[in-house]
Amino acid sequence: MIPKDHPRYRSLVARERIARCAQEGIVALEGLAAHGRGEAFDYLIGERTTESAALAERTAAAMLLAARHAVISVNGNTAALAAAEIAALQQASGADVEVNLFHRTEERIERITRHLTAHGVRVLSGTPERIVPLSHDRGLSLPEGIGDADVVLVPLEDGDRCAALRAMGKAVITIDLNPLSRTARTATLTIVDEVTRALPAITAACTTLEPGEGERLIASLDNTYLLRAAIDEMRERLAHALE
Ligand code: PTJ
């Protein structure tokens, strides 16, 4: 039991959740390493939503709402950390939700689907096909899901699939605390924020965008600016770490 007044309460609760979900076969063991990398970058941005991340989150909401067919692609880590947040974003944006895994097994797909459904997510089902040209199993997608989508939100992505989705003409929104990752640099829009902060912020923006704001945000989207702002933020914090 983690005491609520522990200075690292949020981080410890997230660790506990991800460890439990690894034991239950929802999170891949490799997902524990990915989580640790995310924690390190979160430390560097001060474990808070920066101004540039907030701008990226509003832009993400605009893109999801303007999409012909938006799909949220969910992996083990995202399901473990943010199942309820996915349900709320699905409700606010009307996006479909598809489970797509790097370390894919039918058993994990079923477990994650059950976990998401228990938290109120409507998960797409169907027969996956190798729609995305990749040699690993992340290429397996639903024709009526990611296959048909024009906008795909892929939290905690791996770079290969992001590039392949872009090459298919899809707009890719990613949530990745590492602004140096290949995914971050390849996506149409990168949100450098922790997934449990980013998803509720996108959900809130879906209901608070002013008339015309969405179009303006999409027209002025500059991912290089957003990545540079995140890196500058980390550099600033490091420069003043001991003051
Ligand atoms: O469930 P599976 O089988 O699909 O596997 C999922 C993982 C995450 C293991 C797989 O996609 C993977 O290996 O991802 P990568 O290449 O390690 O990329 C994950 C990225 O997410 C890294 O750049 C991390 O910094 C970042 N990250 C980790 N935790 C968080 C995060 N970003 C936002 N919020 C987090 N909580």
Side-chain angles (χ1 to χ4, degrees):
M1 177 78 175
I2 301 157
K4 275 219 156 82
D5 60 352
H6 192 290
R8 306 227 25 89
Y9 178 76
R10 251 184 87 86
S11 162
L12 293 176
V13 167
R15 279 189 185 180
E16 194 176 60
R17 189 174 289 178
I18 211 121
R20 192 179 59 241
C21 284
Q23 277 161 351
E24 289 170 4
I26 289 171
V27 169
L29 287 181
E30 293 83 349
L32 298 175
H35 183 75
R37 182 190 293 169
E39 279 187 337
F41 279 103
D42 203 17
Y43 220 91
L44 291 177
I45 59 162
E47 297 176 311
R48 72 200 203 298
T49 299
T50 62
E51 217 173 287
S52 55
L55 171 66
E57 283 150 2
R58 277 192 100 65
T59 309
M63 287 171 69
L64 292 175
L65 293 176
R68 173 184 58 77
H69 183 190
V71 173
I72 307 170
S73 175
V74 177
N75 64 12
N77 287 46
T78 305
L81 293 172
E85 289 83 350
I86 294 281
L89 179 56
Q90 178 174 49
Q91 177 83 20
S93 67
D96 279 332
V97 171
E98 177 171 337
V99 177
N100 180 282
L101 302 181
F102 187 61
H103 306 282
R104 185 186 177 104
T105 64
E106 283 319 303
E107 196 189 339
R108 279 191 70 221
I109 297 266
E110 275 166 33
R111 279 176 198 266
I112 292 167
T113 301
R114 270 205 305 275
H115 178 75
L116 290 170
T117 307
H119 285 83
V121 180
R122 280 170 286 107
V123 181
L124 279 181
S125 59
T127 309
E129 295 173 18
R130 198 165 288 281
I131 291 169
V132 184
L134 289 171
S135 51
H136 58 76
D137 282 348
R138 273 211 126 167
L140 289 172
S141 296
L142 297 175
E144 59 278 33
I146 289 168
D148 179 61
D150 57 337
V151 176
V152 191
L153 169 62
V154 282
L156 282 68
E157 174 62 340
D158 71 287
D160 277 8
R161 189 169 69 127
C162 184
L165 291 170
R166 290 295 315 272
M168 291 169 79
K170 299 178 192 296
V172 178
I173 306 168
T174 192
I175 301 170
D176 189 340
L177 279 160
N178 178 5
L180 307 171
S181 75
R182 243 162 8 103
T183 304
R185 290 184 287 121
T186 316
T188 314
L189 170 66
T190 303
I191 300 167
V192 183
D193 202 0
E194 207 281 324
V195 70
T196 62
R197 293 194 302 268
L199 291 170
I202 304 170
T203 303
C206 282
T207 55
T208 57
L209 283 175
E210 306 282 347
E213 187 188 348
E215 290 85 337
R216 277 199 303 280
L217 286 168
I218 292 171
S220 58
L221 163 54
D222 178 350
N223 208 43
T224 308
Y225 162 78
L226 293 170
L227 294 180
R228 199 168 285 142
I231 293 166
D232 284 348
E233 185 76 38
M234 292 177 187
R235 214 188 339 235
E236 272 295 296
R237 285 182 60 81
L238 283 171
H240 299 106
L242 297 179
E243 284 173 7

